[in-house]
Structures are given as structure tokens and as C-alpha cells.
């Protein structure tokens, strides 16, 4: 199975026009014969309802200091919302898709809340869904603590740029042909 991982940033999934562009890219990958994994960030930028910075402000309006574990739980919501909505958008466009959280996608981390390090990626849950013919839409920026931490399954976030990290880690674990990172920031980077 040829696998491709495509990562889309928050502004790419924040508007109907952006989502249409994502659908076109995913459809092209599927039409080219790739089993496709899509990693998404939280929708929009500061001030948008589900953007990470907006959720941080919301937390600080409720309490001056939130426990790091609770902050990660809150911040993971933006990417979860994006993944569910993107999977629904793809399915409505005739591309069968399923949304997974980082933990459901097999991403295990240490307990360094707010800047967790990935310790293991179990590709089995994603591969299973790909074999079913689904596009797998993964919530970026997050994972869960692994069994060795004593708090197995606590949601963690990977820090700024964490959705790019998610895409790269999944690409490596899945032995993907390519990891494509789409952004609206000017410039070209290849590696």
C-alpha cells in the first residue's frame, strides 16, 4: 500500500474555501492511488473560536493558572474539532473518511504537558482504517501518555508546530512515500 501523509494548518481548514482546497488535494492523492492520512491543526488563528491561542485566553479567563494536564486537555479540543469537521467534509464530498485523535492514531508521549515528546507511534490503528479504504484524518498537536508513565492515556500536547511533528511522526511510522505540509506562509522548503 502506498501511503501519503498530508498536513493542513489552521488557516487551511478555517473557511469553506480552504476546506474545498483540502478536498481537492486529498481527492488528487486518492485518485493517484495513495492511501491518504490527513493531519489537521486547530481551525484559524488567534481570535477564531477554536484556535489554540483563543483557547489559552479562555482558560486564563476562567483561572489565572490551570494545571498543565488540564490545559492540554482543553487545547487538544481545537484539533479534535478540525479533524471531525474535515472528515465530515471529505465524506460529504464522496471521499470516505474517519477522524481520529492523536491517541486513537497510536501516538504515545511522555508526561511533559505542553511540550510532550513522542516516545512511540503504533501504526496499527491508522493502517487498519486505511485498509478499509478510508482517508484517516488525525488531530495533530497531540498524543496520549504511554503505559510506562503510570498515567496511561492522559492527553498531551506537543507544543508549537506540533501538527507538523504529528505528520512527520506518522509518516515515519507508516513508511509513507511522502509527507506534504501545506501552509499559507510564503516560501518553499523541501527535505
Amino acid at each position: 500500500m502506498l501511503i501519503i501523509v498530508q498536513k493542513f494548518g489552521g488557516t487551511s481548514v478555517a473557511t469553506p474555501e480552504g476546506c474545498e482546497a483540502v478536498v481537492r488535494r486529498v481527492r488528487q492523492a486518492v485518485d493517484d492511488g495513495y492511501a491518504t492520512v490527513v493531519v489537521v491543526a486547530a481551525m484559524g488563528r488567534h481570535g477564531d473560536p477554536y484556535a489554540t491561542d483563543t483557547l489559552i485566553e479562555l482558560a486564563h479567563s476562567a483561572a489565572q493558572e490551570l494545571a498543565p494536564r488540564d490545559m492540554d486537555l482543553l487545547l487538544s479540543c481545537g484539533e479534535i474539532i478540525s479533524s471531525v469537521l474535515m472528515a465530515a467534509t471529505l465524506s460529504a464530498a464522496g471521499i470516505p473518511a474517519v477522524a481520529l485523535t492523536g491517541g486513537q492514531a497510536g501516538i504515545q508521549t511522555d508526561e511533559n504537558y505542553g511540550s510532550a515528546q513522542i516516545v512511540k507511534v503504533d501504526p496499527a490503528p491508522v493502517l487498519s482504517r486505511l485498509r478499509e479504504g478510508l482517508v484517516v484524518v488525525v488531530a495533530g498537536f497531540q498524543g496520549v501518555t504511554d503505559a510506562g508513565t503510570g498515567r496511561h492515556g492522559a492527553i498531551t500536547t506537543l507544543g508549537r508546530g506540533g501538527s507538523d511533528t504529528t505528520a512527520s511522526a506518522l509518516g515515519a511510522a507508516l513508511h509513507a512515500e511522502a509527507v506534504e505540509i501545506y501552509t499559507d506562509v510564503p516560501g518553499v522548503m523541501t527535505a
Side-chain angles (χ1 to χ4, degrees):
M1 164 171 33
L2 295 176
I3 298 172
I4 192 167
V5 177
Q6 299 179 319
K7 182 269 181 177
F8 297 94
T11 57
S12 298
V13 296
T15 64
E17 299 79 24
C19 289
E20 288 174 21
V22 171
V23 169
R24 284 193 302 275
R25 296 259 186 212
V26 171
R27 186 181 309 279
Q28 185 62 57
V30 170
D31 288 349
D32 288 344
Y34 288 102
T36 307
V37 177
V38 174
V39 175
V40 292
M43 296 183 296
R45 296 235 186 265
H46 183 262
D48 291 327
Y50 309 112
T52 301
D53 288 331
T54 304
L55 294 173
I56 290 170
E57 283 183 2
L58 181 63
H60 289 154
S61 73
Q64 286 295 333
E65 195 67 33
L66 211 59
R69 179 193 170 281
D70 293 340
M71 181 66 91
D72 274 11
L73 187 59
L74 174 66
L75 296 184
S76 70
C77 293
E79 279 74 17
I80 293 170
I81 291 167
S82 288
S83 65
V84 170
L85 293 178
M86 183 50 60
T89 300
L90 289 166
S91 293
I95 304 169
V98 62
L100 299 178
T101 66
Q104 291 171 330
I107 299 171
Q108 298 176 22
T109 72
D110 62 19
E111 282 188 55
N112 189 17
Y113 297 104
S115 190
Q117 298 294 307
I118 296 173
V119 296
K120 178 182 175 186
V121 178
D122 176 5
V126 173
L127 288 170
S128 171
R129 298 296 175 37
L130 291 174
R131 287 187 190 107
E132 293 172 19
L134 298 170
V135 169
V136 179
V137 183
V138 178
F141 177 66
Q142 63 183 255
V144 294
T145 54
D146 81 332
T149 65
R151 292 193 175 113
H152 179 60
I155 294 175
T156 56
T157 63
L158 307 178
R160 294 296 180 178
S163 292
D164 291 354
T165 302
T166 300
S168 298
L170 284 170
L174 295 166
H175 304 287
E177 299 297 309
V179 175
E180 300 175 342
I181 298 178
Y182 293 93
T183 182
D184 58 6
V185 175
V188 176
M189 180 172 43
T190 61

